[in-house]
Amino acid sequence: MDVDPKLLLQKLLQKGVIDEISAKRYEEEAMQKKITLEEYLLTFTRLTDDNVLSAKAEVLNVPYVNIGTTAVDPQAMNYVSKDIAQEYHIIPYFYEAEKKQLYVATSKPLNISALEFLSNKTGLKVVPVLASESEIMKALTVATSLNLSPVVKEAVADIGPQTDTQKLQSISNYNTAPIAKIVNTIVEFGIKNRASDIHIEPEELKTRVRYRIDGILTEKLTLPRSIHDSLVSRVKILGGMKIDEKRIPQDGRFNYKLKHDEIDLRLSSLPTVNGEKMVMRLLHKTGGLPQLNELGLDGVQLNKFETGIAKSYGIVLVTGPTGSGKTTTLYSVLGNLNTKSVNIVTLEDPVEYQIEGINQVQINSQAGLTFATGLKSFLRQDPNIILVGEIRDKETTQLAIQAALTGHLVFSTLHTNDAATAIPRLIDLGGEPFLIASVLNLSMGQRIVRKVCQNCKEFYTPTPEVQKSIKDELGNLFPKQYQDGQPLRLARGRGCEECNHSGYMGRIGIFEILNITTGINNLVLKEASARDITAQAVKEGMILMKQDGFLKALVGVTTLEEIMRVTEE
């Protein structure tokens, strides 16, 4: 059913999404193109589906759901066959057992005959919820690929109303049990969709499963709350954890093979008010380490970095917040430097990837093996290169400096927002400025951005305002081919099955590299602020992280939105 265009425009005006001038123009242009106002708004304007459809839902007096970001409950899917869902372009996404209500996402919430048919077919009260038709069909594809409805129904029947620890173990122990099949499906879906982490989270009425894909956490599945304990127990059994201990956090691990892919899963359980939350980190054993240029380092920056790591002694720091790819960068560097003529030792928390030919040690605080104590021992192991997972205290800082002064090449990470802030941070941690000036080779700040999907990439010309902001940000780095007034072209992904309809596929780093020159050294000795150090480095040619991102956006590797997301968060 088409909504009254005047009512839709009025609602958008009330919500402050558009202004009067735009409203009039949209109405006229939709009439000229001989399409509905809704089609026009979704196709030819910058308004999002959320903007348009939430306003439409209010006009029609029905709920609205963004089904693209909403997990689908297999119990709900169990009530409607795939054929019926495809025929009516609907997806049942939530079942409320107490009220016997089935929530169905549809682009036609006022289609009475379809609603009556579904109600008679299911024996439930059907609650229609407005959603984008294209997003419904995408969600239906994902839900069908998981195909968990029959096995979830079987698992709920197996478990019953009450389950003690002994029964949990019995239910969760067998590889052919429904719970085991659910866990396998959850893990395999994560592997096939390039997830780095899987979160199984208990809530009061349901359990939700979220996947971190290309750095973004997305809810893909909800499960009945009644099977949560047995689900967690199954994962604990696989990871060698205690299933009867639910009061304290636990860690575990297990290997999973899927065709030619072997994955190491690191497990972490955490007691919450609603039950135990389980996080599984997926680490691929196959595929090898990326090369430096594959990380996103190129041109001048790659040359600067390679010069800094080629020295036989000194400190190289990689900085950034958690999840910015620091460990991956350091592993790539070690893979690059790993030859039979050097002795490389690492001290990590935890060891994420095992590299042949490198002596890797994992922190064990309970046994007294910390970054500081481990570093002391390393100096008696005749190393050439030392990797310390993180510099986080005074003793580790001073030992790292001492190691560099005595002829070792030391790599480590710091949790700072940019490359320049690493220097004041080292001084705060007890490093003497004159020693830092003499041993620091370089400091590199980094973030990770999602890459545009190559399968559905398209180019567009941004608005004059956006073009001006890019030009202002880049300054003398602005590409010459655009300086004669030629309009910029940026890339974006339309969304396809290859990228799970996100428009993005894979990730790449954006960097800023601070080389320790004579000018920077003088500022270190004066204990100058990070701002002053950055200003001097820019004068000497340092490319800032946001500038590196904008340059990557201009060649179609990523989007402007991604750069703003990671550099301004």
Side-chain angles (χ1 to χ4, degrees):
M1 173 186 173
D2 295 330
V3 68
D4 185 326
K6 293 195 182 298
L7 290 176
L8 181 56
L9 287 172
Q10 188 180 350
K11 184 58 69 176
L12 289 167
L13 284 165
Q14 284 175 7
K15 293 164 76 75
V17 176
I18 60 173
D19 56 28
E20 292 278 1
I21 296 171
S22 299
K24 188 174 181 182
R25 189 176 86 248
Y26 293 161
E27 188 175 18
E28 289 173 355
E29 290 183 2
M31 290 174 68
Q32 287 171 6
K33 292 181 182 292
K34 297 181 180 178
I35 58 176
T36 66
L37 177 68
E38 183 183 336
E39 284 179 289
Y40 175 82
L41 293 174
L42 292 172
T43 309
F44 296 100
T45 74
R46 298 183 70 183
L47 298 180
T48 63
D49 284 11
D50 277 352
N51 291 148
V52 178
L53 296 180
S54 61
K56 179 181 176 180
E58 288 184 35
V59 172
L60 297 177
N61 198 27
V62 296
Y64 164 71
V65 65
N66 184 338
I67 199 67
T69 58
T70 302
V72 174
D73 180 355
Q75 269 193 309
M77 286 290 295
N78 211 38
Y79 284 99
V80 179
S81 71
K82 176 187 170 184
D83 291 340
I84 290 174
Q86 287 178 330
E87 182 183 346
Y88 285 93
H89 290 198
I90 61 162
I91 183 165
Y93 68 93
F94 180 59
Y95 170 59
E96 194 172 4
E98 289 182 8
K99 296 181 180 178
K100 293 194 173 180
Q101 290 187 157
L102 187 66
Y103 289 78
V104 175
T106 171
S107 61
K108 299 174 182 175
L110 301 186
N111 185 342
I112 304 300
S113 60
L115 297 176
E116 285 180 350
F117 170 78
L118 289 172
S119 185
N120 292 333
K121 185 82 176 171
T122 61
L124 302 170
K125 181 183 177 183
V126 174
V127 180
V129 182
L130 179 67
S132 158
E133 184 167 327
S134 60
E135 291 296 329
I136 288 169
M137 301 314 288
K138 291 173 191 174
L140 194 56
T141 302
V142 172
T144 305
S145 70
L146 281 165
N147 193 28
L148 276 175
S149 299
V151 74
V152 167
K153 186 177 181 181
E154 195 180 340
V156 170
D158 267 5
I159 289 161
Q162 289 186 333
T163 310
D164 57 23
T165 302
Q166 192 172 358
K167 188 175 178 184
L168 273 178
Q169 181 144 5
S170 171
I171 291 168
S172 309
N173 235 346
Y174 299 105
N175 294 334
T176 55
I179 285 295
K181 292 177 184 175
I182 293 171
V183 170
N184 288 350
T185 303
I186 288 171
V187 171
E188 288 179 12
F189 184 83
I191 295 168
K192 289 173 183 174
N193 286 274
R194 302 172 292 105
S196 60
D197 301 86
I198 303 171
H199 295 234
I200 301 174
E201 302 172 324
E203 295 184 350
E204 189 176 354
L205 300 175
K206 63 182 181 181
T207 289
R208 65 176 181 169
V209 181
R210 297 196 289 171
Y211 294 86
R212 191 174 294 282
I213 301 170
D214 290 336
I216 305 295
L217 205 53
T218 311
E219 191 173 343
K220 291 289 185 185
L221 179 68
T222 62
L223 295 167
R225 181 64 183 81
S226 60
I227 70 169
H228 178 81
D229 289 347
S230 52
L231 204 62
V232 170
S233 294
R234 173 61 183 171
V235 177
K236 281 184 170 182
I237 286 168
L238 291 172
M241 301 156 75
K242 297 177 181 177
I243 71 167
D244 57 343
E245 180 54 83
K246 302 178 181 182
R247 300 163 300 169
I248 59 173
Q250 293 186 64
D251 294 322
R253 64 189 294 178
F254 68 93
N255 285 335
Y256 196 95
K257 283 189 178 180
L258 183 64
K259 294 182 180 176
H260 303 298
D261 213 355
E262 188 175 353
I263 292 89
D264 185 15
L265 286 98
R266 306 289 173 86
L267 312 177
S268 172
S269 70
L270 181 72
T272 74
V273 291
N274 290 315
E276 283 186 286
K277 175 183 174 179
M278 181 67 72
V279 174
M280 296 184 271
R281 169 153 288 188
L282 282 64
L283 299 169
H284 290 254
K285 288 187 170 183
T286 48
L289 295 169
Q291 295 298 308
L292 291 175
N293 61 333
E294 292 172 336
L295 297 174
L297 283 165
D298 53 24
V300 175
Q301 289 193 311
L302 181 58
N303 290 337
K304 280 185 176 182
F305 192 68
E306 287 181 331
T307 301
I309 66 174
K311 295 179 180 178
S312 59
Y313 70 93
I315 296 177
V316 173
L317 293 176
V318 180
T319 75
T322 302
S324 59
K326 300 186 296 296
T327 303
T328 301
T329 297
L330 289 177
Y331 277 141
S332 179
V333 171
L334 293 186
N336 209 42
L337 300 176
N338 186 18
T339 64
K340 291 181 179 179
S341 62
V342 295
N343 177 22
I344 302 176
V345 288
T346 77
L347 192 58
E348 305 171 60
D349 184 20
V351 174
E352 291 196 11
Y353 297 95
Q354 293 179 13
I355 308 172
E356 190 176 346
I358 292 179
N359 306 288
Q360 295 171 271
V361 178
Q362 183 155 317
I363 289 294
N364 187 343
S365 300
Q366 290 180 334
L369 180 55
T370 64
F371 284 124
T373 59
L375 193 46
K376 276 182 184 175
S377 302
F378 278 9
L379 296 177
R380 296 191 289 272
Q381 287 285 319
D382 186 31
N384 300 100
I385 298 170
I386 299 171
L387 167 67
V388 184
E390 184 187 347
I391 292 177
R392 59 171 72 153
D393 55 41
K394 183 176 181 178
E395 192 177 3
T396 310
T397 303
Q398 293 176 341
L399 283 166
I401 291 171
Q402 192 61 41
L405 285 169
T406 53
H408 303 91
L409 183 58
V410 180
F411 292 93
S412 193
T413 68
L414 271 178
H415 284 282
T416 61
N417 286 329
D418 53 44
T421 309
I423 293 169
R425 178 72 180 135
L426 282 180
I427 295 172
D428 287 343
L429 288 170
E432 292 288 349
F434 73 95
L435 292 177
I436 293 170
S438 62
V439 299
L440 190 59
N441 293 353
L442 66 82
S443 172
M444 180 169 79
Q446 70 175 69
R447 299 287 189 280
I448 306 179
V449 295
R450 292 180 291 171
K451 294 197 293 185
V452 176
C453 174
Q454 295 300 307
N455 192 54
C456 61
K457 180 195 281 192
E458 63 181 14
F459 287 90
Y460 70 99
T461 300
T463 64
E465 294 81 10
V466 172
Q467 293 191 46
K468 184 179 183 304
S469 68
I470 294 172
K471 190 172 183 179
D472 291 345
E473 182 69 40
L474 289 177
N476 61 1
L477 295 171
F478 192 66
K480 289 179 181 177
Q481 68 263 36
Y482 295 123
Q483 290 176 8
D484 58 0
Q486 181 184 339
L488 302 183
R489 290 174 76 239
L490 298 177
R492 62 189 171 199
R494 291 188 305 275
C496 63
E497 288 195 17
E498 285 287 317
C499 62
N500 204 18
H501 304 285
S502 68
Y504 295 98
M505 184 83 163
R507 292 193 287 174
I508 196 167
I510 58 172
F511 306 91
E512 61 183 28
I513 297 177
L514 176 69
N515 281 101
I516 311 304
T517 61
T518 304
I520 299 296
N521 254 338
N522 291 334
L523 291 175
V524 175
L525 293 170
K526 293 175 185 175
E527 298 188 33
S529 68
R531 181 178 294 180
D532 291 341
I533 293 170
T534 300
Q536 177 64 27
V538 169
K539 278 183 191 175
E540 296 177 4
M542 180 174 84
I543 299 172
L544 296 172
M545 209 180 309
K546 188 185 279 189
Q547 292 176 327
D548 185 39
F550 278 21
L551 290 170
K552 285 183 168 76
L554 285 178
V555 294
V557 173
T558 185
T559 65
L560 218 55
E561 292 78 10
E562 271 296 283
I563 304 305
M564 303 308 287
R565 178 180 69 83
V566 303
T567 58
E568 296 190 355
E569 61 188 6

